Coordinates of all heavy atoms in Angstrom, one line a residue:
M20 N -71.1 11.5 -35.9 CA -69.8 11.3 -35.2 C -69.8 12.1 -33.9 O -70.7 13.0 -33.7 CB -68.7 11.8 -36.1 CG -67.4 11.2 -35.8 SD -66.1 11.7 -36.9 CE -65.8 10.2 -37.7
G21 N -68.9 11.8 -33.0 CA -68.9 12.4 -31.7 C -68.4 13.9 -31.7 O -67.9 14.3 -32.8
Q22 N -68.4 14.5 -30.6 CA -68.0 15.9 -30.5 C -66.5 15.9 -30.1 O -66.0 15.0 -29.4 CB -68.7 16.6 -29.4 CG -70.2 16.9 -29.8 CD -70.8 17.6 -28.7 OE1 -70.9 17.2 -27.5 NE2 -71.4 18.8 -29.0
L23 N -65.8 16.9 -30.6 CA -64.4 17.0 -30.2 C -64.3 17.7 -28.9 O -65.1 18.6 -28.5 CB -63.6 17.9 -31.2 CG -63.5 17.3 -32.6 CD1 -62.8 18.2 -33.5 CD2 -62.8 15.9 -32.6
A24 N -63.4 17.2 -28.0 CA -63.2 17.8 -26.7 C -61.7 17.9 -26.5 O -60.9 17.2 -27.1 CB -63.8 16.9 -25.7
P25 N -61.2 18.8 -25.6 CA -59.8 18.9 -25.3 C -59.3 17.6 -24.8 O -59.9 16.9 -24.1 CB -59.7 20.0 -24.2 CG -61.1 20.6 -24.2 CD -62.0 19.7 -24.8
S26 N -58.0 17.3 -25.1 CA -57.4 16.1 -24.8 C -56.4 16.3 -23.7 O -55.6 17.2 -23.7 CB -56.8 15.4 -26.0 OG -56.0 14.3 -25.6
G27 N -56.3 15.4 -22.7 CA -55.3 15.3 -21.7 C -54.3 14.2 -22.1 O -53.5 13.8 -21.3
Q28 N -54.4 13.7 -23.3 CA -53.5 12.5 -23.6 C -52.3 12.9 -24.4 O -51.5 12.1 -24.8 CB -54.4 11.6 -24.5 CG -55.6 11.0 -23.9 CD -55.2 10.1 -22.8 OE1 -54.4 9.2 -23.0 NE2 -55.9 10.1 -21.7
G29 N -52.0 14.1 -24.6 CA -50.8 14.6 -25.3 C -51.2 15.5 -26.4 O -52.4 15.6 -26.8
P30 N -50.2 16.3 -27.0 CA -50.6 17.3 -28.0 C -51.1 16.7 -29.3 O -51.7 17.4 -30.1 CB -49.3 18.0 -28.1 CG -48.2 17.1 -27.7 CD -48.8 16.2 -26.7
W31 N -50.8 15.5 -29.6 CA -51.2 14.9 -30.9 C -52.5 14.2 -30.8 O -53.0 13.7 -31.8 CB -50.1 13.9 -31.3 CG -49.8 12.9 -30.3 CD1 -50.4 11.8 -30.0 CD2 -48.7 13.0 -29.3 NE1 -49.9 11.1 -28.9 CE2 -48.8 11.9 -28.5 CE3 -47.7 13.9 -29.1 CZ2 -47.9 11.6 -27.5 CZ3 -46.9 13.7 -28.1 CH2 -47.0 12.5 -27.3
A32 N -53.2 14.1 -29.7 CA -54.4 13.3 -29.5 C -55.6 14.2 -29.6 O -55.6 15.3 -29.0 CB -54.4 12.5 -28.2
I33 N -56.6 13.8 -30.2 CA -57.9 14.5 -30.3 C -58.8 13.6 -29.5 O -58.9 12.4 -29.6 CB -58.4 14.6 -31.7 CG1 -57.5 15.5 -32.5 CG2 -59.8 15.2 -31.7 CD1 -57.8 15.5 -34.0
Q34 N -59.6 14.2 -28.6 CA -60.5 13.4 -27.8 C -61.9 13.5 -28.3 O -62.4 14.6 -28.4 CB -60.4 13.8 -26.3 CG -61.0 12.7 -25.4 CD -60.4 12.8 -24.0 OE1 -59.5 13.5 -23.8 NE2 -60.9 12.0 -23.1
I35 N -62.5 12.4 -28.5 CA -63.9 12.4 -29.0 C -64.7 11.8 -27.9 O -64.7 10.6 -27.7 CB -64.0 11.5 -30.3 CG1 -63.2 12.1 -31.4 CG2 -65.5 11.5 -30.7 CD1 -63.2 11.4 -32.7
I36 N -65.4 12.6 -27.1 CA -66.2 12.3 -26.0 C -65.6 11.1 -25.2 O -66.1 10.0 -25.3 CB -67.6 11.9 -26.4 CG1 -68.2 13.1 -27.2 CG2 -68.5 11.6 -25.2 CD1 -68.3 14.4 -26.5
G37 N -64.5 11.4 -24.4 CA -64.0 10.4 -23.5 C -63.0 9.4 -24.1 O -62.5 8.6 -23.5
M38 N -62.9 9.4 -25.5 CA -62.1 8.4 -26.1 C -61.0 9.1 -27.0 O -61.4 9.8 -27.9 CB -63.0 7.5 -27.0 CG -62.4 6.2 -27.3 SD -63.7 5.2 -28.2 CE -63.0 5.2 -29.8
P39 N -59.8 8.9 -26.7 CA -58.7 9.6 -27.5 C -58.7 9.0 -28.9 O -58.9 7.8 -29.1 CB -57.4 9.3 -26.7 CG -57.7 8.2 -25.8 CD -59.2 8.1 -25.6
F40 N -58.4 9.8 -29.8 CA -58.3 9.4 -31.2 C -56.9 9.8 -31.7 O -56.6 11.0 -31.7 CB -59.4 10.1 -32.1 CG -59.3 9.8 -33.5 CD1 -59.6 8.6 -34.1 CD2 -58.8 10.8 -34.4 CE1 -59.5 8.4 -35.4 CE2 -58.7 10.6 -35.7 CZ -59.0 9.4 -36.3
Y41 N -56.1 8.9 -32.2 CA -54.8 9.1 -32.7 C -54.8 8.9 -34.2 O -55.5 8.1 -34.7 CB -53.8 8.2 -32.0 CG -53.8 8.4 -30.5 CD1 -54.5 7.5 -29.7 CD2 -53.1 9.4 -29.9 CE1 -54.5 7.6 -28.3 CE2 -53.1 9.6 -28.5 CZ -53.8 8.7 -27.7 OH -53.8 8.8 -26.3
K42 N -53.9 9.7 -34.8 CA -53.7 9.6 -36.3 C -52.3 9.5 -36.6 O -51.5 10.3 -36.0 CB -54.4 10.8 -36.9 CG -54.4 10.8 -38.4 CD -55.1 12.0 -38.9 CE -55.1 12.0 -40.4 NZ -55.8 13.2 -41.0
D43 N -51.9 8.6 -37.5 CA -50.5 8.5 -37.9 C -49.9 9.9 -38.4 O -50.7 10.6 -39.0 CB -50.3 7.5 -39.1 CG -50.5 6.1 -38.7 OD1 -50.7 5.8 -37.5 OD2 -50.4 5.2 -39.5
M44 N -48.7 10.2 -38.0 CA -48.1 11.5 -38.3 C -46.7 11.3 -39.0 O -46.0 10.4 -38.6 CB -47.8 12.3 -37.0 CG -49.1 12.7 -36.3 SD -48.7 13.4 -34.7 CE -47.6 14.8 -35.1
E45 N -46.4 12.1 -40.0 CA -45.1 12.0 -40.6 C -44.2 13.0 -39.9 O -44.6 14.2 -39.7 CB -45.2 12.4 -42.1 CG -45.6 11.3 -43.0 CD -45.4 11.6 -44.4 OE1 -45.0 12.8 -44.8 OE2 -45.8 10.8 -45.2
L46 N -43.1 12.5 -39.4 CA -42.1 13.4 -38.7 C -40.8 13.3 -39.4 O -40.5 12.3 -40.2 CB -42.0 12.9 -37.2 CG -43.2 12.9 -36.4 CD1 -42.9 12.4 -35.0 CD2 -43.8 14.3 -36.3
V47 N -39.9 14.2 -39.1 CA -38.5 14.2 -39.7 C -37.5 13.9 -38.6 O -37.6 14.6 -37.5 CB -38.2 15.5 -40.4 CG1 -36.8 15.6 -40.9 CG2 -39.2 15.8 -41.5
C48 N -36.7 12.9 -38.7 CA -35.7 12.6 -37.8 C -34.6 13.7 -37.7 O -34.1 14.1 -38.7 CB -35.0 11.3 -38.2 SG -33.7 10.7 -37.0
R49 N -34.3 14.1 -36.4 CA -33.3 15.1 -36.3 C -31.9 14.7 -36.4 O -31.0 15.5 -36.5 CB -33.5 15.8 -34.9 CG -33.0 15.1 -33.7 CD -33.4 15.8 -32.5 NE -32.2 15.9 -31.6 CZ -32.3 16.3 -30.4 NH1 -33.4 16.8 -29.9 NH2 -31.2 16.4 -29.6
S50 N -31.7 13.3 -36.4 CA -30.3 12.8 -36.6 C -30.0 12.5 -38.0 O -28.9 13.0 -38.5 CB -30.2 11.5 -35.8 OG -30.2 11.7 -34.4
C51 N -30.9 11.8 -38.7 CA -30.6 11.5 -40.1 C -31.3 12.2 -41.2 O -31.0 12.2 -42.3 CB -30.8 10.0 -40.3 SG -32.5 9.4 -40.3
G52 N -32.4 13.0 -40.7 CA -33.2 13.8 -41.7 C -34.2 13.0 -42.5 O -34.9 13.6 -43.3
Q53 N -34.4 11.7 -42.2 CA -35.3 10.9 -43.0 C -36.7 11.1 -42.4 O -36.9 11.3 -41.2 CB -34.9 9.5 -42.9 CG -33.6 9.1 -43.6 CD -33.7 9.3 -45.1 OE1 -34.7 8.9 -45.7 NE2 -32.7 10.0 -45.7
M54 N -37.7 10.9 -43.2 CA -39.1 11.0 -42.7 C -39.4 9.6 -42.0 O -38.9 8.6 -42.5 CB -40.1 11.1 -43.9 CG -39.9 12.5 -44.6 SD -40.6 13.8 -43.7 CE -42.3 13.6 -43.9
F55 N -40.2 9.6 -41.0 CA -40.7 8.4 -40.4 C -42.1 8.6 -39.9 O -42.5 9.8 -39.7 CB -39.7 7.9 -39.3 CG -39.7 8.8 -38.0 CD1 -40.5 8.5 -36.9 CD2 -38.9 9.9 -38.0 CE1 -40.4 9.3 -35.8 CE2 -38.9 10.8 -36.8 CZ -39.6 10.4 -35.7
I56 N -42.8 7.5 -39.7 CA -44.2 7.6 -39.2 C -44.3 7.4 -37.7 O -43.8 6.4 -37.2 CB -45.1 6.5 -40.0 CG1 -45.0 6.7 -41.5 CG2 -46.5 6.6 -39.5 CD1 -45.5 8.0 -42.0
F57 N -44.9 8.3 -37.0 CA -45.2 8.2 -35.6 C -46.7 7.6 -35.6 O -47.6 8.4 -35.8 CB -45.2 9.5 -35.0 CG -45.4 9.6 -33.5 CD1 -44.9 8.5 -32.6 CD2 -46.0 10.6 -32.9 CE1 -45.1 8.6 -31.3 CE2 -46.2 10.7 -31.5 CZ -45.7 9.7 -30.7
T58 N -46.8 6.3 -35.5 CA -48.1 5.7 -35.6 C -49.1 6.0 -34.5 O -48.7 6.4 -33.4 CB -47.9 4.1 -35.7 OG1 -47.5 3.6 -34.4 CG2 -47.0 3.7 -36.8
A59 N -50.3 5.7 -34.8 CA -51.4 5.9 -33.8 C -51.1 5.1 -32.5 O -51.3 5.5 -31.4 CB -52.7 5.6 -34.4
G60 N -50.6 3.9 -32.8 CA -50.3 3.0 -31.6 C -49.2 3.5 -30.8 O -49.2 3.4 -29.6
E61 N -48.2 4.0 -31.5 CA -47.0 4.6 -30.7 C -47.5 5.8 -29.9 O -47.1 6.1 -28.8 CB -45.9 5.0 -31.7 CG -45.2 3.8 -32.3 CD -44.3 4.2 -33.4 OE1 -44.5 5.2 -34.1 OE2 -43.2 3.6 -33.6
Q62 N -48.4 6.6 -30.5 CA -48.9 7.8 -29.8 C -49.7 7.4 -28.6 O -49.5 8.0 -27.5 CB -49.8 8.6 -30.8 CG -49.1 9.3 -31.9 CD -50.0 9.8 -33.0 OE1 -51.0 10.4 -32.7 NE2 -49.6 9.7 -34.2
E63 N -50.5 6.4 -28.7 CA -51.2 5.9 -27.5 C -50.3 5.4 -26.4 O -50.5 5.7 -25.3 CB -52.2 4.8 -28.0 CG -53.1 4.3 -26.9 CD -54.1 3.3 -27.3 OE1 -54.1 2.9 -28.5 OE2 -55.0 3.0 -26.5
F64 N -49.2 4.7 -26.9 CA -48.2 4.2 -25.9 C -47.5 5.4 -25.2 O -47.4 5.4 -24.0 CB -47.1 3.4 -26.6 CG -46.0 3.0 -25.8 CD1 -46.1 1.9 -24.9 CD2 -44.8 3.7 -25.8 CE1 -45.0 1.5 -24.1 CE2 -43.7 3.3 -25.0 CZ -43.8 2.3 -24.2
Y65 N -47.1 6.4 -26.0 CA -46.5 7.6 -25.4 C -47.5 8.3 -24.4 O -47.1 8.7 -23.3 CB -46.2 8.6 -26.5 CG -44.8 8.4 -27.1 CD1 -44.4 7.2 -27.6 CD2 -43.9 9.5 -27.1 CE1 -43.1 7.0 -28.1 CE2 -42.6 9.3 -27.7 CZ -42.2 8.1 -28.2 OH -41.0 7.9 -28.7
A66 N -48.7 8.4 -24.7 CA -49.7 9.0 -23.8 C -49.9 8.2 -22.6 O -50.0 8.7 -21.5 CB -51.1 9.2 -24.6
D67 N -49.9 6.8 -22.7 CA -50.1 6.0 -21.5 C -48.9 6.1 -20.6 O -49.1 6.0 -19.4 CB -50.2 4.5 -22.0 CG -51.6 4.2 -22.6 OD1 -52.5 5.0 -22.5 OD2 -51.7 3.1 -23.2
K68 N -47.7 6.3 -21.1 CA -46.5 6.5 -20.3 C -46.3 7.9 -19.8 O -45.5 8.1 -19.0 CB -45.3 6.1 -21.1 CG -45.2 4.7 -21.6 CD -45.0 3.8 -20.4 CE -44.9 2.3 -20.8 NZ -44.9 1.4 -19.6
G69 N -47.2 8.8 -20.2 CA -47.1 10.2 -19.7 C -46.1 11.0 -20.5 O -45.8 12.1 -20.0
F70 N -45.6 10.6 -21.6 CA -44.7 11.4 -22.4 C -45.5 12.5 -23.0 O -46.5 12.3 -23.6 CB -44.0 10.6 -23.5 CG -43.2 9.4 -23.0 CD1 -43.1 8.2 -23.7 CD2 -42.6 9.4 -21.8 CE1 -42.4 7.1 -23.3 CE2 -41.8 8.3 -21.3 CZ -41.8 7.2 -22.1
L71 N -44.9 13.7 -23.0 CA -45.6 14.9 -23.5 C -45.2 15.3 -24.9 O -45.9 16.1 -25.5 CB -45.4 16.1 -22.5 CG -45.9 15.8 -21.1 CD1 -45.5 17.0 -20.2 CD2 -47.4 15.6 -21.1
H72 N -44.1 14.8 -25.4 CA -43.6 15.2 -26.7 C -43.5 14.0 -27.6 O -43.2 12.9 -27.2 CB -42.3 15.9 -26.6 CG -42.3 17.1 -25.6 ND1 -42.9 18.3 -26.0 CD2 -41.9 17.2 -24.4 CE1 -42.8 19.1 -24.9 NE2 -42.2 18.5 -24.0
E73 N -43.7 14.3 -28.9 CA -43.5 13.3 -29.9 C -42.0 13.0 -30.1 O -41.1 13.8 -29.7 CB -44.1 13.7 -31.2 CG -43.5 14.9 -31.8 CD -44.5 15.8 -32.5 OE1 -45.7 15.7 -32.2 OE2 -44.1 16.6 -33.3
P74 N -41.6 11.8 -30.6 CA -40.2 11.5 -30.8 C -39.5 12.4 -31.8 O -40.2 12.9 -32.7 CB -40.2 10.0 -31.3 CG -41.5 9.8 -31.9 CD -42.5 10.7 -31.1
T75 N -38.2 12.7 -31.6 CA -37.5 13.5 -32.5 C -36.6 12.7 -33.4 O -36.0 13.2 -34.4 CB -36.7 14.6 -31.7 OG1 -35.8 13.9 -30.9 CG2 -37.6 15.5 -30.9
R76 N -36.4 11.4 -33.1 CA -35.6 10.5 -33.9 C -36.4 9.4 -34.4 O -37.3 8.9 -33.7 CB -34.4 10.0 -33.1 CG -33.4 11.1 -32.7 CD -32.2 10.6 -32.0 NE -31.2 11.6 -31.8 CZ -31.3 12.5 -30.8 NH1 -32.2 12.4 -29.9 NH2 -30.3 13.4 -30.7
C77 N -36.0 8.9 -35.6 CA -36.6 7.7 -36.2 C -36.2 6.5 -35.3 O -35.3 6.5 -34.5 CB -36.2 7.5 -37.6 SG -34.4 7.1 -37.8
P78 N -37.0 5.4 -35.4 CA -36.7 4.2 -34.6 C -35.2 3.7 -34.8 O -34.6 3.3 -33.8 CB -37.7 3.1 -35.2 CG -38.8 3.9 -35.6 CD -38.2 5.2 -36.2
R79 N -34.7 3.7 -36.0 CA -33.3 3.3 -36.2 C -32.3 4.1 -35.5 O -31.4 3.6 -34.8 CB -33.0 3.3 -37.7 CG -31.7 2.7 -38.0 CD -31.5 2.6 -39.5 NE -30.2 2.1 -39.8 CZ -29.6 2.0 -41.0 NH1 -30.4 2.3 -42.0 NH2 -28.4 1.5 -41.1
C80 N -32.4 5.4 -35.6 CA -31.5 6.4 -34.9 C -31.7 6.3 -33.4 O -30.8 6.4 -32.6 CB -31.7 7.8 -35.4 SG -31.1 8.0 -37.0
R81 N -33.0 6.1 -32.9 CA -33.3 6.0 -31.5 C -32.6 4.7 -30.9 O -31.9 4.8 -29.9 CB -34.8 5.8 -31.3 CG -35.3 6.4 -30.0 CD -36.8 6.4 -29.9 NE -37.5 6.8 -31.2 CZ -38.6 6.3 -31.6 NH1 -39.2 5.3 -31.0 NH2 -39.1 6.8 -32.7
T82 N -32.7 3.6 -31.7 CA -32.0 2.4 -31.2 C -30.5 2.5 -31.2 O -29.8 2.1 -30.2 CB -32.4 1.2 -32.2 OG1 -33.8 1.0 -32.2 CG2 -31.7 -0.1 -31.8
R83 N -30.0 3.2 -32.2 CA -28.5 3.4 -32.3 C -28.0 4.3 -31.1 O -27.1 4.0 -30.5 CB -28.1 4.0 -33.6 CG -26.7 4.0 -33.9 CD -26.3 4.5 -35.3 NE -27.1 3.9 -36.3 CZ -27.6 4.5 -37.4 NH1 -27.4 5.8 -37.6 NH2 -28.2 3.9 -38.3
R84 N -28.8 5.3 -30.9 CA -28.4 6.3 -29.8 C -28.5 5.6 -28.4 O -27.7 5.9 -27.6 CB -29.4 7.5 -29.9 CG -29.1 8.5 -28.9 CD -29.9 9.8 -29.1 NE -30.0 10.6 -28.0 CZ -29.1 11.6 -27.7 NH1 -28.0 11.7 -28.5 NH2 -29.2 12.3 -26.7
E85 N -29.5 4.8 -28.2 CA -29.7 4.1 -26.9 C -28.7 2.9 -26.8 O -28.8 2.3 -25.7 CB -31.1 3.6 -26.8 CG -32.1 4.8 -26.7 CD -33.5 4.4 -26.8 OE1 -33.8 3.2 -27.1 OE2 -34.4 5.2 -26.7
G86 N -27.9 2.7 -27.8 CA -26.9 1.6 -27.7 C -27.6 0.2 -27.8 O -27.2 -0.8 -27.2
G87 N -28.6 0.2 -28.7 CA -29.4 -1.1 -28.9 C -28.6 -2.1 -29.7 O -27.5 -2.0 -30.0
S88 N -29.3 -3.1 -30.0 CA -28.8 -4.3 -30.7 C -28.5 -4.1 -32.1 O -28.1 -5.1 -32.8 CB -29.7 -5.5 -30.4 OG -30.9 -5.2 -31.0
E89 N -28.7 -2.9 -32.7 CA -28.5 -2.8 -34.1 C -27.0 -2.7 -34.5 O -26.7 -2.8 -35.6 CB -29.3 -1.5 -34.6 CG -29.5 -1.5 -36.1 CD -30.4 -0.5 -36.5 OE1 -31.6 -0.7 -36.3 OE2 -30.0 0.6 -37.0
R90 N -26.2 -2.6 -33.5 CA -24.8 -2.6 -33.8 C -24.3 -3.9 -34.2 O -24.8 -4.9 -33.7 CB -24.0 -2.2 -32.5 CG -24.2 -0.8 -32.1 CD -23.4 -0.5 -30.9 NE -23.7 0.9 -30.4 CZ -23.2 1.4 -29.3 NH1 -22.5 0.7 -28.5 NH2 -23.5 2.6 -29.0
T91 N -23.4 -4.0 -35.1 CA -22.8 -5.2 -35.6 C -21.5 -5.4 -35.0 O -20.7 -4.5 -34.8 CB -22.8 -5.3 -37.1 OG1 -22.0 -4.2 -37.6 CG2 -24.1 -5.2 -37.7
V92 N -21.1 -6.7 -34.7 CA -19.8 -7.0 -34.2 C -19.0 -7.6 -35.3 O -19.4 -8.5 -36.0 CB -20.0 -8.1 -33.0 CG1 -18.6 -8.5 -32.5 CG2 -20.8 -7.5 -31.9
T93 N -17.8 -7.0 -35.5 CA -16.9 -7.5 -36.6 C -16.2 -8.7 -36.0 O -15.5 -8.6 -35.0 CB -16.0 -6.4 -37.0 OG1 -16.7 -5.2 -37.3 CG2 -15.1 -6.8 -38.2
P94 N -16.2 -9.8 -36.7 CA -15.4 -10.9 -36.3 C -13.9 -10.6 -36.3 O -13.5 -9.8 -37.2 CB -15.8 -12.1 -37.3 CG -16.3 -11.4 -38.4 CD -16.8 -10.1 -38.0
P95 N -13.1 -11.2 -35.5 CA -11.7 -11.0 -35.5 C -11.0 -11.4 -36.8 O -11.5 -12.3 -37.5 CB -11.1 -11.8 -34.3 CG -12.2 -12.8 -34.0 CD -13.5 -12.2 -34.5
R96 N -10.0 -10.7 -37.2 CA -9.3 -11.1 -38.4 C -8.7 -12.5 -38.3 O -8.5 -13.0 -37.3 CB -8.2 -10.0 -38.8 CG -8.9 -8.7 -39.2 CD -7.9 -7.7 -39.6 NE -7.5 -7.0 -38.4 CZ -6.4 -6.3 -38.3 NH1 -5.6 -6.1 -39.2 NH2 -6.2 -5.7 -37.1
R97 N -8.4 -13.0 -39.5 CA -7.9 -14.4 -39.6 C -6.7 -14.7 -38.6 O -6.7 -15.6 -37.9 CB -7.6 -14.7 -41.0 CG -7.1 -16.2 -41.2 CD -7.0 -16.5 -42.6 NE -7.7 -17.8 -42.8 CZ -8.1 -18.2 -43.9 NH1 -7.9 -17.6 -45.0 NH2 -8.7 -19.4 -43.9
K98 N -5.7 -13.8 -38.7 CA -4.5 -14.0 -37.9 C -4.8 -14.0 -36.4 O -4.3 -14.8 -35.6 CB -3.4 -12.9 -38.2 CG -2.1 -13.2 -37.5 CD -1.1 -12.2 -37.9 CE 0.2 -12.5 -37.1 NZ 1.2 -11.5 -37.2
E99 N -5.7 -13.1 -36.0 CA -6.1 -13.0 -34.6 C -6.8 -14.2 -34.1 O -6.6 -14.7 -33.0 CB -7.0 -11.8 -34.4 CG -6.2 -10.4 -34.5 CD -7.1 -9.3 -34.5 OE1 -7.7 -9.0 -35.5 OE2 -7.3 -8.7 -33.4
R100 N -7.6 -14.8 -35.0 CA -8.3 -16.1 -34.7 C -7.3 -17.2 -34.5 O -7.5 -18.0 -33.6 CB -9.3 -16.4 -35.8 CG -10.7 -15.8 -35.6 CD -11.7 -16.3 -36.5 NE -11.5 -15.4 -37.7 CZ -12.1 -15.6 -38.9 NH1 -12.8 -16.7 -39.1 NH2 -11.9 -14.8 -39.8
Q101 N -6.3 -17.3 -35.4 CA -5.3 -18.3 -35.3 C -4.6 -18.2 -34.0 O -4.3 -19.2 -33.3 CB -4.4 -18.3 -36.5 CG -5.0 -18.7 -37.8 CD -4.1 -18.5 -39.0 OE1 -3.1 -17.8 -38.9 NE2 -4.5 -19.0 -40.1
D102 N -4.2 -17.0 -33.6 CA -3.5 -16.8 -32.3 C -4.4 -17.2 -31.2 O -3.9 -17.7 -30.2 CB -3.1 -15.3 -32.2 CG -2.0 -14.9 -33.2 OD1 -1.3 -15.8 -33.8 OD2 -1.8 -13.7 -33.4
A103 N -5.7 -16.9 -31.2 CA -6.6 -17.2 -30.1 C -6.8 -18.7 -30.0 O -7.0 -19.2 -28.9 CB -7.9 -16.5 -30.4
E104 N -6.7 -19.5 -31.1 CA -6.9 -20.9 -31.1 C -5.7 -21.7 -30.4 O -5.8 -22.8 -30.0 CB -7.1 -21.5 -32.5 CG -8.5 -21.0 -33.0 CD -8.7 -21.4 -34.5 OE1 -7.8 -22.0 -35.1 OE2 -9.8 -21.0 -35.0
R105 N -4.5 -21.0 -30.4 CA -3.3 -21.7 -29.9 C -3.3 -21.7 -28.4 O -3.8 -21.2 -27.6 CB -2.1 -20.9 -30.4 CG -1.9 -21.1 -31.8 CD -0.6 -20.4 -32.2 NE -0.7 -20.3 -33.7 CZ 0.2 -19.7 -34.4 NH1 1.2 -19.1 -33.9 NH2 0.1 -19.7 -35.7

């Protein structure tokens, strides 16, 4: 196997002779307290974008916090629909 070398790819990456090596990590969401996996692919993405820290929220809480599409829209009540149709 290759030699370990310091990595410039982020604190979670180990560099093996010019090639970063990422490993899935279990993290705890600071919003909901649930465990989530920070995958090797996500780590590589973070490193490519120049992000220096691992995520602190799970994907669900991150989406909710960013105002993503996970919000549900409640349909209007029956009376309101009837008024709208007139």
Side-chain angles (χ1 to χ4, degrees):
M20 202 177 253
Q22 291 180 303
L23 296 180
S26 170
Q28 299 291 319
W31 52 83
I33 298 172
Q34 195 154 356
I35 301 176
I36 306 299
M38 199 172 109
F40 173 74
Y41 302 96
K42 186 176 178 182
D43 290 356
M44 296 171 55
E45 281 190 359
L46 302 175
V47 177
C48 177
R49 76 184 227 188
S50 293
C51 68
Q53 296 292 315
M54 296 286 285
F55 69 98
I56 304 295
F57 185 36
T58 67
E61 290 170 327
Q62 292 170 37
E63 186 173 9
F64 173 81
Y65 271 55
D67 288 345
K68 295 293 181 184
F70 301 149
L71 300 176
H72 304 285
E73 60 216 22
T75 58
R76 291 183 175 84
C77 67
R79 183 175 180 184
C80 289
R81 212 175 315 141
T82 301
R83 194 177 307 142
R84 181 174 164 83
E85 293 168 358
S88 62
E89 198 167 283
R90 294 181 182 173
T91 57
V92 177
T93 307
R96 287 183 273 164
R97 181 173 230 161
K98 185 176 180 185
E99 291 172 278
R100 269 188 274 170
Q101 290 172 349
D102 292 342
E104 292 173 358
R105 291 183 194 177

